[in-house]
Amino acid sequence: MPSPKCVSPVPSPYVHHTITLSPTLPNTAPTEIPALLHPSMIPLLPNPLPNALPPPIDEPFVVRKTEDRGYAMFASRPILPGTLIKLEHPIFILPALPLEDSSSYESYERLGQGITESTYAEMETMANCRSKDECPSIVEGVARTNALTLGFHFPSDSESDPHLSKPHAKHYGGVCPKINRCNHACGPNASYKWFLPNLSARLYALRSIAAGEEITKNYTDLLQPRSTRLVKLEGDYKFTCDCKWCTFADPEAQEKSDAARAFLGTYVNTHPSYRKWSMDLCLPDTFVIESHLAVIPLIEKEGLDALLPLFLEEIMRCYAELGDEDQFRVYAERTRQLVAVGDPELAAELERYLENPVGNFPKWGARRKFRESQAKQRRVVEEEEEDLFMDSLFGPSD
Ligand SMILES: C[S@@+](CC[C@H](N)C(=O)[O-])C[C@H]1O[C@@H](n2cnc3c(N)ncnc32)[C@H](O)[C@@H]1O
């Protein structure tokens, strides 16, 4: 969570607040998360929040020091696409906007004082790419290098608040000592999602990850060309990305990768959609399916697997309307697996469809039925035309 550069610092309306999560196991202490929040948020947070997380067991990763990129997260066994890798509460939460007042150093430090000694010691080992001049407090430096952006929902009347109407004022960051060990790659194999009801971040696999492989996530807009990505990563995180999508030996290969990403950026916004196809019976039956199937290899080549569920889901819905149960099951199952952690509501919907596609998918086979009735009508018209023609040759039959 780099500090937003387009916004000048604002007077700080923030207050310290401890978010308490009730324990799931008996006789254990509640989890306390120190936070710096806008006062209007506090009444919106249930306190204590339910469901602190159970202690982690048998996690599929290890964190270890590397030679050239600090600590990193590695798979300790093969990880399947869509699998949950780590579920974690933030150790503290702070606003994306920098604090302006003269006591900002103390405000950040106070967040550090609200965590346990062992958590503080772990936090001190996390990357801090900010100089003392930029961020005099280690808490702020670690947060600006690591925090995962968190968007809270504010009440609609918050728009009239002069602070909350500023850009980025509704954004916060949460520091997660394990998930934050993921280094960046321009074709990452993992992603994360906040789950606000119990204030946890979930890291999950975007594709298969082999045992020993580094687990990476994305720190910047991956649809931008390499040169833009490098400048942004250097500016915000002070490193030069040397992932395979930034270090092609052949300049032509680099150009192709940049062009592929630009194309995918346009495709995401302008692709032929299932919704339009579903309502436009003049479009060929395989219009969306063929278009998406042509793009998927490019997505995979660029390592942009986070885009896959969008297109796999649309292909699945097309096959459902075409009444092709075998193909429907292939794409529904693949999508369900990929979104299990990132979009559990969609995963549950797909599970219901998979239990009984014909009964549970609302427009099951609709396009196929329409095509069949079209063909039947065409046959009737052809038969009538044939009869008229025969009548014209031999006179009407009785
Ligand atoms: C969120 S932290 C990642 C974990 C960090 N390596 C650590 O030791 O805690 C971000 C910092 O990790 C390093 N980093 C992340 N991705 C990198 C990469 N692809 N190459 C080199 N350094 C990287 C940079 O120093 C960056 O500021």
Side-chain angles (χ1 to χ4, degrees), residues 69-71 127 129 145-146 180-184 219 237 239:
R69 53 184 69 202
Y71 286 90
C129 69
T145 310
N146 290 274
N180 282 134
R181 296 302 190 176
C182 274
N183 285 321
H184 164 90
Y219 294 10
Y237 298 98
F239 72 91

Side-chain angles (χ1 to χ4, degrees), residues 185-200:
C186 295
N189 54 23
S191 184
Y192 76 93
K193 186 87 193 260
W194 282 105
F195 184 66
L196 290 178
N198 74 350
L199 210 53
S200 60

Side-chain angles (χ1 to χ4, degrees), residues 1 63-66 68-73 122-123 125-130 142 144-148 176-186 214 216-217 219 233-234 236-243:
M1 187 188 65
V63 169
R64 64 168 189 267
K65 201 151 192 179
T66 64
D68 55 350
R69 53 184 69 202
Y71 286 90
M73 189 186 257
E122 188 173 16
M123 189 263 303
T125 70
M126 295 177 76
N128 177 359
C129 69
R130 303 289 160 161
V142 166
R144 301 254 172 249
T145 310
N146 290 274
L148 307 173
C176 298
K178 295 289 181 297
I179 294 180
N180 282 134
R181 296 302 190 176
C182 274
N183 285 321
H184 164 90
C186 295
E214 183 172 352
T216 53
K217 68 181 184 61
Y219 294 10
L233 293 168
E234 188 64 60
D236 289 344
Y237 298 98
K238 314 282 187 290
F239 72 91
T240 304
C241 185
D242 62 355
C243 76

Side-chain angles (χ1 to χ4, degrees), residues 49-115:
L49 278 168
N51 296 331
L53 307 175
I57 35 168
D58 196 25
E59 293 176 314
F61 68 87
V62 289
V63 169
R64 64 168 189 267
K65 201 151 192 179
T66 64
E67 272 177 20
D68 55 350
R69 53 184 69 202
Y71 286 90
M73 189 186 257
F74 294 90
S76 53
R77 58 171 184 264
I79 300 175
L80 291 174
T83 306
L84 179 71
I85 300 170
K86 177 69 191 171
L87 180 60
E88 194 173 24
H89 288 307
I91 54 171
F92 47 72
I93 292 175
L94 75 179
L97 288 182
L99 307 180
E100 190 199 41
D101 44 69
S102 54
S103 60
S104 63
Y105 174 81
E106 287 77 19
S107 286
Y108 289 124
E109 288 291 297
R110 201 173 138 189
L111 288 175
Q113 288 153 14
I115 58 182

Side-chain angles (χ1 to χ4, degrees), residues 373-388:
S373 86
Q374 257 186 333
K376 203 168 156 192
Q377 278 171 17
R378 215 176 303 119
R379 272 200 307 279
V380 170
V381 170
E382 278 166 10
E383 276 166 23
E384 280 173 6
E385 281 174 356
E386 175 85 6
D387 287 349
L388 286 173

